[in-house]
Amino acid sequence: MKNYAIVLAAGKGTRMKTELPKCAFPILKKPMIEYIVENIETSVVDEIICVVGYKKEYLQDLLKDRVEYAFQDEQLGTGHAVGKAADLLKDKKGTTVILLGDMPLINSKVINKVISYHTDKMNDLTVVTAEFENPKGYGRIVRNEYGSIEKIVEHKDCTKAQKTIKEINTGIYIVDNSLLFEAVEKIKINEQKGEYYLTDIVEIMKKEDYKVDAFLLWDSPKVMGVNDLYTISHAEKHLRNDINKSHMLNGVSIINPETVTIGHSVVIEEGVIINPNTFITGDSVIKKGAIIGPNTEIHSSIIHKNVSVKHSLVYDSEVFDNTTIGPFAHLRDGAVIGKNNRVGNFVEVKNSKTGNGTKAAHLAYIGDTVTGSRVNFGCGSITVNYDGINKNKTIIGDDVFIGCNTNLIAPVEIGNRVFIAAGSTVTKDVPEGALAIARNKQINKADYAKNLIRPKDDTK
Ligand code: UD1
Ligand code: CA
């Protein structure tokens, strides 16, 4: 018998007050729904059905063919949403786990645990519950005098006494497939809300003497639901702590971990040091001996061994061994920095490749450029890559010295062992071995300034 999963993700997420469908909202820069689907994929579940509705194209574009889709065009509640999966599932034999698309912390271990509990106990329906210190907003689990589950009451519909119940409905249910859709058909609309509550299947199945059970899960933050930007920040905090902890246990030292955010798919080798206020996201890889931060953002970039990146931004770029980046450098759009480079104070490198031992220590812009090895960019050097219409290329050979405040007007090619005098505006190619001087000659007019400048009184 197979295991199926239904993920409910058709809602708008009105309480989020954002345009995105809630389940697509990013947590640590990754859409929430991807966390859920990823964890179902690595669980014992064989097939996943995602119920989509509000801005469905957006979710389908994220998940592509990782899941099958059921469509809920009008969002008439969680019970109604599950009903939309009937055509795909009701004739199949097996067990279905229902999950909500707004529980980003769920993991495959929890999913496996609750499915095996359900099977071991030979339940017809298992409701997964948790105990929350602050249960506000969640459906409450009402148990009878024997301690078994009686019904689920939504927060809004709770009596004063029911509001004090701390055991909540996580929104995860495990249920025999064919029984599920029979029960869902019997859900009646909640007149006040105009919605079909999935939670009603507890009472419906109990009435028909099916074996309904509640499984109280201890690791409760894993099943929190997020409904607004405030609860998103809680989920993000949990996720951040979990990720940082696992890196630290793998030998990565993280200073002030509350201020360090590392994305889910980032790979960091042991021996790396991460300083405060640092964000590493996307599919970044940080290799041994690197020191990252403080105050640094690295997104989808590869940082090789013993590189140091301080107070800097690195997006979609690669930095090879022993190079130092920063303070206040910005690498972007496919910058590839060679070994033993220095990219220092207020230097921006865009879509460019540098050879080994190249240095741009201060105030430079390097764009659409390929440089050789051991090139020195003086303070204020600029590759003038944009003529207002096109982006043009600059090619620089090995062992080139570019004096301060040089403009290299692209397209332009500088040969090996060229020396460019400070203050030059280079518009023509420079052949190998040449000294290029492209600036006006200095004229000194004798005594001319004496009439212009009179000594001032510096005691005032
Ligand atoms: C739901 C449960 C509540 C539980 C809580 C756990 C119901 C009636 N209530 O409440 O008992 O404690 O989750 O977090 O089930 N959705 C659809 N179509 C719809 C409505 C919702 O697909 O018509 C999806 C949403 O996209 C969302 C999920 O179902 O991912 C849950 O919906 P939400 O409105 O957040 O339910 P809660 O009020 O949190
Ligand atoms: Ca919710």
Side-chain angles (χ1 to χ4, degrees), residues 8 10-11 15 22 72 75-78 100-102 139 154 169 227:
L8 305 185
R15 290 164 281 183
K22 174 168 68 179
Q72 187 197 25
Q75 282 77 62
L76 296 178
T78 45
L100 307 180
D102 66 355
E154 287 308 289
N169 169 30
N227 296 318

Side-chain angles (χ1 to χ4, degrees), residues 78-80 82 96 98 124-127 149-152 169 172-176 179-188 196-208 210 212:
T78 45
H80 180 256
V82 168
T96 292
I98 300 168
D124 295 311
L125 167 65
T126 307
V127 178
I149 183 166
E150 188 87 333
K151 59 180 173 182
I152 302 170
N169 169 30
I172 305 174
Y173 316 79
I174 307 97
V175 55
D176 174 275
L179 297 182
L180 168 65
F181 295 102
E182 277 173 30
V184 163
E185 274 182 19
K186 292 178 187 147
I187 300 175
K188 293 204 175 68
Y196 297 85
Y197 286 173
L198 180 58
T199 46
D200 288 356
I201 60 172
V202 171
E203 282 170 282
I204 292 169
M205 288 181 69
K206 277 197 79 114
K207 213 183 271 168
E208 293 176 7
Y210 287 113
V212 179

Side-chain angles (χ1 to χ4, degrees), residues 26 40 61 93 106 114 132 148 151 159 169 216 232 237 243 247 249 288 298 324 333-334 418 428:
I40 304 175
D61 201 41
K93 286 229 167 318
I106 189 71
V114 297
F132 281 177
S148 52
K151 59 180 173 182
T159 61
N169 169 30
L216 177 61
I232 290 249
K237 187 172 170 186
I243 294 173
H247 285 296
L249 296 179
K288 273 191 180 146
I298 295 180
T324 66
D333 295 331
V418 158
K428 289 188 247 164

Side-chain angles (χ1 to χ4, degrees), residues 318-345:
E318 183 164 8
V319 181
F320 282 90
D321 311 30
N322 304 316
T323 283
T324 66
I325 306 292
F328 313 111
H330 184 187
L331 312 184
R332 61 183 180 97
D333 295 331
V336 178
I337 309 298
K339 292 182 184 173
N340 302 309
N341 274 224
R342 185 163 166 217
V343 179
N345 309 260

Side-chain angles (χ1 to χ4, degrees), residues 97-118:
V97 54
I98 300 168
L99 298 139
L100 307 180
D102 66 355
M103 41 171 61
L105 303 183
I106 189 71
N107 68 29
S108 52
K109 267 197 222 146
V110 172
I111 298 171
N112 289 345
K113 189 155 104 184
V114 297
I115 293 177
S116 53
Y117 175 90
H118 174 85

